[in-house]
Amino acid sequence: MNPPVAGDICPPQRYTHSTVQLFRFSAVSWNSHRIHYDAGFAASEGFPDVVVQSTLHGETLTRYALAWAGPNSRLETVSWRNRTTAVADEPLTWTGTVQTVEGAHVSLEVAVLKADGSPCVTGTVQLALV
Amino acid sequence: MNALDEVLTRARSLVGRWEDEDCGTVTVKDFCRYAAALNDADYIDRARKREATGEPVEAPALFLAATMSWEDGPPERELRPDGLATRESPCTAGLPVRQVHGGQTVRLLKSPVAGCRVTASRAVTSAERKQGRSGAFVLLGLTTRFTSADGTELTAVDETIVVMEALDSPGAA
C-alpha cells in the first residue's frame, strides 16, 4: 500500500451480523441485555429483530480500518457514536476516509451505513503505522 | 417524580464515585474466545503459536473495553426484566425505562498480555436530561480505566448511555 494521504478512501465493505454472532458476542462480552439475543424482547422495545451491540460496531469498524492499513498498523484510539440501531442479518457497509496523516499517525473517519446509505454508526479511528 | 427524573437523581448522586472491579487474570483462552466470536481465526492461530513458544500474547485491541462486566454475575432469577444485572445499571434498577448505548471512545495505552491481572475503575461522570426527536431522555456519561497490577493504565473508555422511558410508560413517545 502507498503511504496514506488525506482524502484516501478505504474500499467500502458489505457485511451482516448473524444472530449466532450476536449471541456469541453477548456471551463472550458478558452482556446479558435481552435486546441482543431475544427477538421477542427486542420487539417489545420497538426493534424489528435482535440488536447489534454497540461494542461490536466499534470492534468491527476498528478491524476494518486496521485491515485497510495493513499488518504494520496498530490502534491508538477509536471513537464512535450510534445514530440508529442495526439488527441481525441487516445488510450493512463499512466505509472509511483518511482525514489526517501526521507522521506515523493516521486518522480515519469511519461509518457503518444501512442499505439506504444512511449512517447507522459514525466515528473516528486513529492508527499508528509502525 | 417520573422515571427519567429518578434516573437523573440516582446518577447525579453517583457522579465522581469511583468503584474498582477485579477483572482477574486474563488468559489466552479468554482472548481466543473473544476472537472466535469475531470470526478471527487468524488471531487464534497466532496467539496459540506464541503461547506454545512462550512468547507474550497480547489481547485483541478492544478486549477489555468490550467486556460489559467482570463480575461472576447473579443467577437468572436476580436479573432485571431486560436481562441486565442490577449492578450493571444502578441508575435504572426497577424503573420503567429502556436504554441503549450512545457511543464510546476507547484509548489504547498499553496492550494487556495473558497472565496480567487487571482492575477496572468505573465512575458515572455526567448525567443530563435531553430532548430528542422521539422524546425526552437522560444521557449518562461513564468512564472506565483499566490498569494492571503495577498501576500501568492499559485502556481508557468513555461511554454514553441513553435512557428513555419504557414504550408502555405513560410519558413515553
Side-chain angles (χ1 to χ4, degrees):
Chain A
M1 189 177 94
N2 292 325
V5 296
D8 279 355
I9 293 174
C10 311
Q13 195 172 328
R14 295 181 181 180
Y15 69 103
T16 60
H17 294 294
S18 69
T19 54
V20 173
Q21 185 180 35
L22 298 189
F23 167 76
R24 295 219 305 169
F25 192 73
S26 272
V28 81
S29 61
W30 206 234
N31 179 348
S32 55
H33 198 175
R34 289 169 62 190
I35 60 172
H36 301 306
Y37 56 87
D38 180 340
F41 183 83
S44 77
E45 295 222 336
F47 302 114
D49 203 339
V50 289
V51 173
V52 179
Q53 296 90 343
S54 171
T55 44
L56 184 55
H57 282 309
E59 177 69 63
T60 57
L61 273 171
T62 298
R63 285 166 176 263
Y64 165 71
L66 286 167
W68 169 80
N72 295 324
S73 61
R74 66 175 170 78
L75 177 67
E76 293 187 318
T77 302
V78 56
S79 180
W80 69 96
R81 183 176 169 199
N82 301 310
R83 306 260 173 194
T84 185
T85 52
V87 297
D89 297 321
E90 181 174 349
L92 300 169
T93 304
W94 291 304
T95 65
T97 304
V98 175
Q99 293 300 295
T100 60
V101 179
E102 294 175 4
H105 303 278
V106 180
S107 177
L108 297 101
E109 188 174 277
V110 292
V112 173
L113 304 181
K114 287 179 165 279
D116 64 2
S118 63
C120 174
V121 178
T122 55
T124 305
V125 177
Q126 293 179 331
L127 305 175
L129 304 178
V130 293
Chain B
M1 181 181 286
N2 69 23
L4 292 184
D5 290 335
E6 177 63 22
V7 171
L8 202 55
T9 299
R10 291 184 192 181
R12 285 180 172 163
S13 74
L14 294 174
V15 169
R17 280 172 45 182
W18 288 85
E19 281 191 13
D20 287 352
E21 186 173 70
D22 177 19
C23 307
T25 301
V26 292
T27 67
V28 176
K29 182 175 286 295
D30 296 331
F31 300 165
C32 288
R33 286 185 168 187
Y34 181 81
L38 295 160
N39 300 316
D40 189 350
D42 291 343
Y43 174 88
I44 296 171
D45 285 347
R46 286 196 309 274
R48 289 302 187 186
K49 281 177 182 161
R50 290 181 70 87
E51 180 187 38
T53 57
E55 295 173 272
V57 179
E58 291 188 356
L62 297 188
F63 170 77
L64 291 176
T67 301
M68 187 164 178
S69 172
W70 298 88
E71 282 208 313
D72 296 339
E76 183 179 337
R77 65 177 179 276
E78 293 176 19
L79 292 175
R80 299 166 6 155
D82 64 6
L84 292 174
T86 300
R87 188 189 175 285
E88 290 162 4
S89 187
C91 304
T92 62
L95 297 173
V97 295
R98 59 205 159 101
Q99 57 189 332
V100 293
H101 242 122
Q104 281 180 269
T105 296
V106 181
R107 284 181 291 124
L108 298 182
L109 303 162
K110 183 173 172 50
S111 295
V113 295
C116 171
R117 191 164 195 110
V118 178
T119 298
S121 303
R122 288 199 177 91
V124 176
T125 53
S126 63
E128 293 179 77
R129 192 176 177 115
K130 302 263 190 182
Q131 187 68 37
R133 279 175 300 178
S134 55
F137 62 94
V138 172
L139 191 65
L140 303 177
L142 298 98
T143 293
T144 307
R145 302 277 182 262
F146 294 93
T147 52
S148 60
D150 65 2
T152 302
E153 191 165 1
L154 304 170
T155 300
V157 181
D158 295 307
E159 59 192 312
T160 56
I161 306 289
V162 180
V163 184
M164 301 157 284
E165 290 186 323
L167 286 178
D168 55 1
S169 173

